[in-house]
Structures are given as C-alpha cells and as structure tokens.
C-alpha cells in the first residue's frame, strides 16, 4: 500500500483544511463540497484526512463496523453479544463516478431470497464507509439518483435496501466529502444545499508558493516514507487536537445571542429553508471546540457563514457561489460581542502566522491562506463578491447616438458591416419542452423518453449481466411450467437462475443540445440580438435543469466556429454566449456543416447520447464561406445532410418586422423539424406546446418524414 501524502504538508488551502477538520470534529456538520480547478490538491487533502481520524473500535467479524459498546440492533450480521472488540484505522472509501446503485447500497441475492427466504445481503460502499469517510471525486458527474441515495443515507445515518418485499437496514454514518470542477458541470441547487459546507479553491499566483508546492511534491515522490516521517510530528499534533475537540464538543454552549446572529445572517442573505441555520449552528459549535473554547463567539458565526452560506445563495443556476463579506460584517455588527467564559487559552486558528515546516517551507498544520497543494498549488480566493453582487456594466446601447461609445446601428436591410461589440442578453424565461423522438438509452436526465434503470416498468427481459431490478411476475411465470419436472414438493417455488427476469423501465434521458447561433450582421440590431441571446440563455437554463450536455456553434463573416465543444458545463456556454460579438455576412451553410462535424465526432465519443440541434437564425444565407458556391444551395444541402443522419432539429425563427420572407421555415423543412418564433418559444405563449421534434429520416430504401407533435 502506498504512503499517502501528509495532510499537514499541503501548502496553503486553509479554508479547505479547516472545513475538513471541522467535519472530523463534528460529522453532524454534514460534509464538505470542494469546488475548484484541476490541480489544486482537492483529492490529495481529502485522501490525507483519514490518517488524522482516531481509530475505531469494531465488533470482530462484523461487515458493518458495529461498535462493541453500542452495536446496531438492526445490523444484518447481528445480534452481537457482549465481548471485547478490535480496533482498526478509520476507512476512506471512494465512490467511483460509474458505480451502480447495487455497488453503493449493497445487493440482495434475489434467487436465494425467493427460493430459500434467506436475506443474503452483500454490503455496498455505504456499509464500508460507516464510521469513516466516503469520498466522491467529480461528484457533479455522478448520476442524480445515486447522489440522492448518497445524501439521504448521510442525512438519516442509515441505508435501506428494499427489493420485492425483502428489506435490509444498516447504519451508515460517515463523513461525506465531494470534489468537483465547475467547468465540467454544476450540481443542482437542491443537491448543493444538502452539503453542509462548501469551499472554493484555486491555484496560487504567487511564485514562492508554487515553488514550495513543487519542492514538496518532488520530495514526496522521491521518498514517500521518508517524507511522511518528517511530517509525522505535525500529523500527531493535529490528530490529538481532533480528539480533544471531539471530547470538548458536548460542552460547547450556543447562546441565544449566537443563535440570533445565525438567524439574522441567514435571513439577511435570503437563504431558503432552515438547513442553513442548522448547519451554521453546528459549524460554529465545532469551530469553538476546535479553538478550545466552550462558548461560541461572533468570529465563529462569521467563519461558519463563510463556509455554509455561499452555495445556498444561488438564485439562478448561472450564479457563481459567493458571499458579500461587507454585508456579513454589517449584519453581525448589530450584535454585541460575547465574552469567553473561563475558557482555556485557545489554539491558534488555521490562518495564523506559520512556522517553518520540516522541509524548510513556510507551512505548518495551520498554514497561510495563499498556498497550494501537491497537485499544483492553490490559494483561496476571497469569499463573497460573486458576480451576482457586482454592479453590471453600463450598456453601450444607452449612450447617445453621436457619442464615441455608441455602436453603429445597421438598417433592417443591411446584411454585413463591421464587427460590433457583444450585447447583453435579455431576461431569460421558461421555455417550451423540446425532446428527441423515439426511445433512447442515454444517460439519465429529464428530456427525452429512454430505457433507464429508474422509471415506470414497461416489461421484462432476461438479465444481461447482474440482475438489478427483478420483475417478480415474469420470474414466476417463467418458473411455473417447470415445477413438476423440478420435483416441487412444498409450497415454495423452485427457482433457477434461468427463470429470473429483469424489469425494463422507461424514464427520461439527457441529450446533447447543440446550439447553432447566427451572429451575422443581419442579426446585429441591438434589441434583436439581445432578445436572441435571452432566448438561447433560456434554452440553456432548460438544458441545465434537464441534465443535458450542451455545445455552441456560431457563424458570421466568412466561417463558422465551435465556440464551445460539447460539455456538461452549461455555465461555460452561458459565458461564451454573453461574450459573443456580431457583424459580417451570413454563412448559414457553413454553420450547419460545422454542426454536422461536431455531432459526428461526438457520436463516436458518446454513442448513446442522442443529439438535439437548435438553430437560431432568421434563415438568411449570404455567404458560402470557404466552401464556395451558391450560399442558399449550400444551406439546403447541409440541412438535408443533417436530416439524413437522423438528427432531431428545431429552428428558432428570429425574423422580425411586418414583412417576413419565411426563410427559417424553409430551413426547418429541409432539416425535417419544426420552426418556432422567439415569442412562440415561451412556455406561456398561446401557441401549442412543442412536445417532440420529429426528424426526416432518409434511407436508401425509403423516405420517412415525422411531423412535429
């Protein structure tokens, strides 16, 4: 077994280390979500934490880590009698992104349960993590139903497995830690709220800190055991401090004044629900215990707010987590300071001035707040001041028409001109439902119909691999004709493995929504492009809620470009859209060809995820780009090529004015999908709801056209 990197050797990352240690002191805080760019020691710090946890006493032979002094009365391996226990280190269990539900919660032997009535249960990762750490790397890429199971178990302290009337329950109390890179997609706000604390990490921009990160990492790789030995004294000190804080925690007093500070802070920041208040109270109590005090002070409440509130303030999925520290101080200043009540001298906080570490660096277990980790370094950006708190820049459109800042306004007939600065998107709105026709088998989501592991039961089939969802009626039906031949004598059925049937279920899948946006001069009128961006932003919000991947192709001037490759980060697509400039001619055909190329490559990477093409244009085509030829003919050929590949498409018609040419409708006909106006895209419009996008599927043998439902 490899020697883990010492927790106390991580350079900087003060908030990250403090949040982890507070959960080690009080697991009731509710876990930690660590957000940050790659290479910022997220995984290294989490994996190193387990070495600081005290050993746990367990019942010998119990697969569920029951404590000898207080065994779980519902333990599947119980009941446990009185007797001496054994000690083992606290475990750190990692949940892979591709794990199945059975791997997480455990699995029942369905064949033995039906034939013998025996609860033969194989424990999952939740049982392994009991009284330890459960670590989920890239938690934002985990399937939603697994996240729900995980967070429910963490909240209840128990895991329940129920299959066809057979029920198993076991204790599952663990320290939950998740790490994620926001560039790869966000968690839903409901799931963010279930994590007790959130920490933002980023790489340090200070050369001295980055040098120290590299120095320590190279030293560790040259001699892991020797490096760990040099930090063993600091590790022992922190381990002892965790034990002492755990012992002191029940004595910490949370006064009415501190509770009022917590309530006023949550109310002042308009946090939904009461979970934030409870988490802040537990965090402030743990902070006091960690500092060696028995009274919660205003500074504890302030630090608890910085860790527990930023991720709970998001009103819009595209809002970055953050907290306005000036506003926080203003709220807390309304309350008088509390005097400590005969507390011992507090331990230094993790942000105090450091002493030189074993390697001569500027780090100790309570190191500075400007360093990095062994994976690439990282300092902690200031809390608060997120984009939602910043004052929006003045819109150049409001400048006088003769001022230097005012962009040139093209006429309605103009189809070119110089590039114009990006305009801000209009307010987003709730859009109509767009979905891909047919029945897919892609990743779980909320858009199109698909065969999924969860949903309504539609039939049964022989299991392919391990049985996960038993179809009881089909299993009994398959076994019934063979009972006499199998010598059935009693009341129970004689079940064989070949009789088992897997339930087939229908739910919803997430799709790849590829936006092809016209940014040419014909779209450049400021109010028009603002409305277009508002519509695309609304569709991005819809894609976020339905767990889709998104991509962005834009075209203007002489070419089309892939502004954003397909990604799960809808935030990144919104940022690229906001920065999108306009101007030039309209190479519509080139944009469609670029979309065809992107979808072809993505089909090889993720063949089960079906695409939905959303073309946002007024239908004009005035340039063939590098391809050459007639622009309209190129557009028609490109659209029919996409239709021949069976790509589901919808055209958002941006044409405005009393005279309409109907070019977007003709494009939609070539693509084999519907056209919908900007106004008709709204869910509350009077037009009929767009439920399905039907494609024109062309094969050598036949031509089939599917209409929009």
């Amino acid at each position: 077994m490899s020697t883990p990197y010492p927790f106390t050797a991580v350079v900087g990352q003060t908030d990250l280390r403090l949040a982890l240690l507070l959960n080690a002191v009080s697991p009731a805080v509710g876990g930690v979500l660590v957000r940050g760019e790659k290479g910022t020691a997220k995984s290294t710090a989490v994996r190193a934490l387990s070495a600081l946890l005290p050993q746990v006493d367990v019942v010998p032979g119990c697969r569920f880590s029951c404590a000898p002094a207080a065994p779980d009365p519902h333990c599947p391996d119980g009941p446990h009698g009185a007797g001496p226990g054994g000690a083992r280190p606290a475990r750190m269990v990692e949940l892979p992104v591709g794990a199945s539900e059975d791997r997480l919660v455990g699995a029942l032997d369905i064949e033995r349960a039906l034939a013998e009535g025996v609860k033969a249960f194989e424990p999952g990762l939740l049982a392994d993590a009991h009284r330890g750490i459960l670590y989920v790397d890239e938690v934002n890429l985990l399937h939603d139903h697994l996240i729900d199971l995980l967070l429910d178990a963490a909240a209840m302290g128990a895991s329940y497995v129920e299959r066809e009337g057979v029920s198993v329950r076991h204790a599952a109390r663990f320290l939950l830690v998740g790490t994620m890179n926001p560039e790869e997609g966000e968690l839903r706000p409901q799931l963010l709220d279930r994590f007790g604390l959130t920490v933002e990490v980023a790489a340090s921009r200070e050369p001295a800190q980055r040098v120290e990160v590299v120095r320590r990492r190279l030293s560790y790789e040259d001699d892991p055991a020797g490096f760990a030995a040099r930090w063993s004294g600091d590790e022992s000190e922190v381990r002892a401090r965790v034990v002492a804080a755990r012992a002191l925690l029940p004595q910490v007093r949370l006064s009415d004044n501190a509770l009022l500070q917590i309530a006023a802070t949550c109310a002042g920041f308009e946090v939904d629900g009461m979970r934030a208040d409870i988490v802040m109270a537990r965090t402030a109590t743990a902070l006091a215990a960690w500092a060696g005090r028995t009274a919660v002070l205003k500074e504890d409440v302030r630090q608890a707010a910085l860790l527990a509130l930023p991720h709970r303030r998001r009103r819009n999925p595209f809002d970055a987590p953050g907290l306005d520290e000036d506003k926080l101080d203003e709220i807390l200043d309304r309350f008088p300071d509390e005097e400590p009540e005969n507390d011992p001298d507090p331990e230094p906080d993790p942000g105090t001035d450091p002493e030189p570490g074993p390697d001569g660096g500027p780090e100790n277990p309570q190191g500075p707040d400007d360093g990095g980790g062994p994976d690439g370094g990282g300092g902690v950006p200031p809390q608060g001041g997120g984009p939602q708190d910043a004052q929006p820049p003045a819109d150049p459109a409001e400048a006088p028409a003769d001022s230097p800042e005012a962009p040139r306004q093209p006429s309605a007939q103009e189809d070119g001109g110089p590039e114009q600065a990006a305009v801000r998107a209009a307010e987003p709105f709730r859009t109509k439902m767009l979905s891909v026709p047919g029945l897919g088998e892609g990743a779980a989501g909320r858009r199109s119909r698909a065969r999924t592991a969860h949903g309504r039961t539609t039939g049964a089939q022989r299991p392919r691999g391990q049985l996960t969802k038993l179809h009881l009626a089909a299993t009994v039906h398959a076994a019934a004709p063979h009972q006499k031949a199998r010598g059935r004598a009693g009341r129970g059925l004689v079940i064989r493995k070949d009789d088992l049937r897997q339930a087939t279920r229908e739910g919803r899948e997430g799709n790849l929504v590829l936006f092809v946006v016209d940014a040419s001069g014909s779209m450049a009128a400021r109010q028009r492009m603002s409305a277009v961006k508002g519509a695309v932003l609304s569709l991005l919000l819809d894609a976020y809620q339905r767990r889709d991947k998104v991509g962005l192709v834009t075209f203007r001037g002489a070419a089309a470009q892939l502004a954003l490759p397909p990604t799960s980060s809808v935030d990144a697509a919104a940022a690229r859209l906001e920065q999108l400039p306009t101007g030039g001619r309209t190479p519509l055909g080139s944009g469609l060809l670029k979309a065809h190329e992107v979808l072809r490559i993505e089909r090889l990477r993720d063949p089960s995820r079906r695409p939905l093409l959303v073309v946002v244009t007024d239908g004009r085509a005035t340039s063939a780009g590098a391809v050459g030829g007639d622009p309209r003919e190129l557009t028609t050929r490109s659209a029919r090529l996409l239709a021949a590949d069976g790509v589901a498409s919808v055209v958002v018609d941006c044409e405005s004015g009393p005279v309409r040419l109907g070019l977007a409708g003709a494009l939609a006909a070539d693509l084999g999908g519907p056209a919908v106006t900007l106004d008709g895209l709204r869910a509350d419009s009077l037009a009929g709801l767009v439920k399905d996008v039907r494609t024109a599927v062309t094969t050598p043998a036949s031509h089939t056209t599917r209409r929009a439902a």
Side-chain angles (χ1 to χ4, degrees):
M1 182 177 178
S2 61
T3 304
Y5 193 94
F7 184 85
T8 52
V10 175
V11 181
Q13 306 293 26
T14 306
D15 283 353
L16 168 59
R17 292 184 292 125
L18 176 61
L20 291 173
L21 290 170
L22 290 177
N23 274 270
V25 171
S26 175
V29 167
V32 185
L33 177 64
V34 187
R35 298 163 44 92
E37 58 195 29
K38 52 187 176 294
T40 49
K42 300 188 299 293
S43 300
T44 300
V46 174
R47 293 189 175 101
L49 178 65
S50 60
L52 302 180
L53 299 182
Q55 288 194 329
V56 294
D57 295 327
V58 296
V59 174
C62 178
R63 298 173 298 167
F64 302 88
S65 302
C66 283
D72 180 11
H74 302 284
C75 178
D77 286 353
H80 300 300
R88 63 162 176 78
R91 292 174 181 158
M92 198 210 68
V93 178
E94 291 195 43
L95 174 63
V97 170
S100 65
E101 181 180 339
D102 286 345
R103 184 72 186 98
L104 176 63
V105 301
L108 292 169
D109 188 331
I110 300 297
E111 185 176 0
R112 290 189 63 191
L114 287 176
E116 306 172 29
V118 176
K119 295 182 181 180
F121 181 69
E122 184 66 27
L125 295 177
L126 292 180
D128 293 341
H130 180 45
R131 304 174 69 196
I133 301 172
L134 182 60
Y135 171 46
V136 188
D137 194 12
E138 305 296 350
V139 65
N140 52 327
L141 303 182
L142 200 65
H143 286 174
D144 282 354
H145 75 281
L146 291 182
I147 296 178
D148 291 335
L149 288 171
L150 185 64
L151 295 176
D152 284 344
M156 295 186 296
S159 175
Y160 296 85
V161 182
E162 300 197 19
R163 295 276 178 83
E164 308 298 340
V166 181
S167 177
V168 173
R169 176 212 174 275
H170 65 83
R173 293 183 294 275
F174 47 83
L175 195 167
L176 176 63
V177 183
T179 57
M180 60 175 282
N181 184 347
E183 294 178 356
E184 297 174 345
E186 283 284 0
L187 284 172
R188 302 198 314 268
Q190 296 90 335
L191 298 180
L192 279 173
D193 185 53
R194 300 291 290 276
F195 281 93
L197 310 179
T198 296
V199 177
E200 295 279 339
V201 296
S204 173
R205 300 299 183 257
E206 294 293 331
Q209 294 292 335
R210 300 177 77 97
V211 166
E212 185 60 25
V213 169
V214 175
R215 180 184 292 120
R216 294 189 187 185
R217 185 67 194 187
L218 294 178
S219 178
Y220 168 75
E221 291 177 350
D222 289 341
D223 182 11
F227 183 84
R230 292 195 293 274
W231 287 89
S232 60
D234 298 291
E235 294 280 289
S236 298
E237 289 179 10
V238 176
R239 189 181 301 111
R241 188 174 173 186
V242 169
V243 173
R246 281 189 174 186
L248 184 62
L249 186 65
Q251 305 173 37
V252 176
R253 183 181 65 86
L254 189 64
S255 66
D256 291 342
N257 187 56
L259 284 171
L260 282 173
Q261 293 173 14
I262 291 171
T265 301
C266 293
F269 283 104
E270 300 180 355
V271 178
D272 294 334
M274 295 299 300
R275 184 175 283 119
D277 302 65
I278 297 171
V279 171
M280 274 190 64
R282 290 171 174 167
T283 304
T285 303
L287 279 163
W290 177 249
R293 288 184 270 100
T294 57
V296 173
L297 304 181
K298 185 186 296 184
E299 63 194 62
D300 300 322
V301 175
R302 186 182 192 279
Q303 184 63 58
L306 293 175
L307 294 173
L309 295 189
H311 62 296
R312 294 185 164 91
R313 292 199 61 240
R314 302 181 70 189
R315 290 292 181 268
N316 187 304
F318 301 142
D319 290 341
L323 205 65
D324 185 343
E325 294 194 42
D326 291 337
K327 181 177 179 180
L328 174 60
D329 291 334
E330 180 184 341
I331 294 173
L332 293 179
D333 286 343
R334 303 171 191 166
F335 299 89
D337 292 320
E338 279 197 60
E339 295 294 333
E341 297 181 358
N342 300 323
D343 283 332
D345 292 337
E347 296 286 344
D349 288 335
T352 56
D353 294 335
E355 297 292 337
D359 287 347
E363 174 69 1
N364 71 348
Q366 295 77 39
D369 191 13
D370 54 358
D375 294 337
V380 181
Q383 297 281 352
Q388 68 271 32
D389 298 316
Q391 189 70 20
D395 191 342
E398 298 174 359
D402 57 350
S403 68
E405 293 81 3
R408 181 177 59 83
Q409 300 293 332
S411 65
Q413 290 79 23
E414 188 175 11
D415 188 34
E419 178 180 305
Q420 300 187 29
V423 299
R424 300 182 62 187
E427 285 297 319
F429 51 85
R430 190 168 63 91
T431 66
K432 292 179 178 178
M433 172 69 170
L434 304 176
S435 64
V436 179
L439 198 62
E441 294 183 348
R446 298 183 175 185
R447 184 171 296 277
S448 304
R449 294 173 55 222
R451 298 184 183 90
T452 58
H454 299 270
R456 62 186 182 90
T457 301
T458 58
Q461 63 181 13
R462 291 182 181 273
R464 293 178 289 183
Q466 184 180 6
L467 178 70
T468 56
K469 297 291 183 181
L470 177 73
H471 195 295
L472 183 58
T475 299
V476 172
H477 188 270
H482 308 290
Q483 295 305 296
K484 185 175 181 181
R486 294 173 182 174
R488 172 186 172 186
R491 297 177 60 185
L493 289 175
V494 181
I495 303 292
R496 299 288 185 263
K497 189 172 183 178
D498 289 344
D499 302 329
L500 300 179
R501 295 293 183 269
Q502 174 87 21
T504 58
R505 298 173 182 262
E506 182 179 312
R508 293 280 174 177
E509 67 177 359
N511 298 109
L512 166 60
V513 182
L514 181 63
F515 294 92
V516 181
V517 180
D518 186 347
S520 65
S522 64
M523 303 281 288
R526 295 193 62 82
Q527 293 182 352
R528 185 177 180 187
M529 197 60 197
S530 177
V532 168
K533 284 189 175 183
V536 177
L537 184 63
S538 303
L539 290 168
L540 284 171
L541 279 166
D542 184 69
Y544 170 86
Q545 293 163 351
R546 301 189 187 281
R547 314 303 290 168
D548 295 317
K549 290 179 69 174
V550 297
L552 179 62
V553 172
T554 64
F555 58 92
R556 65 184 182 87
Q561 65 173 351
L562 179 59
L564 180 71
T567 175
S568 297
S569 177
V570 179
D571 299 48
R576 302 290 172 87
L577 177 71
E578 194 70 25
Q579 300 165 5
L580 179 65
T582 58
R585 300 180 68 82
T586 313
L588 176 54
S590 298
L592 297 176
L593 286 178
K594 174 62 73 173
H596 181 269
E597 177 187 354
V598 171
L599 294 178
R600 179 183 62 82
I601 295 173
E602 193 64 20
R603 191 178 295 118
L604 298 175
R605 293 175 177 169
D606 192 357
S608 63
R609 190 181 289 269
R610 297 186 296 163
L612 173 61
L613 183 68
V614 179
V615 184
V616 185
T617 181
D618 58 6
R620 283 187 168 191
T622 61
S623 171
V627 179
D630 181 76
R632 293 187 180 181
E633 183 180 347
L634 176 62
T635 299
T636 300
R637 293 203 315 268
S638 303
R640 291 177 178 175
L641 178 63
L642 287 162
D645 282 351
V647 177
S649 306
V650 61
V651 176
V652 180
D653 185 358
C654 302
E655 192 174 24
S656 60
V659 179
R660 296 176 180 266
L661 302 178
L663 298 176
L667 173 63
D670 289 332
L671 286 168
V676 57
T677 64
L678 287 175
D679 290 337
L681 191 62
R682 294 177 179 270
D684 55 356
S685 68
L686 297 178
L689 183 66
V690 180
K691 291 183 178 178
D692 292 313
V693 181
R694 303 298 186 182
T695 63
V697 181
T698 305
T699 63
S702 63
H703 298 271
T704 305
T705 302
R706 300 174 179 174
R707 297 181 295 104

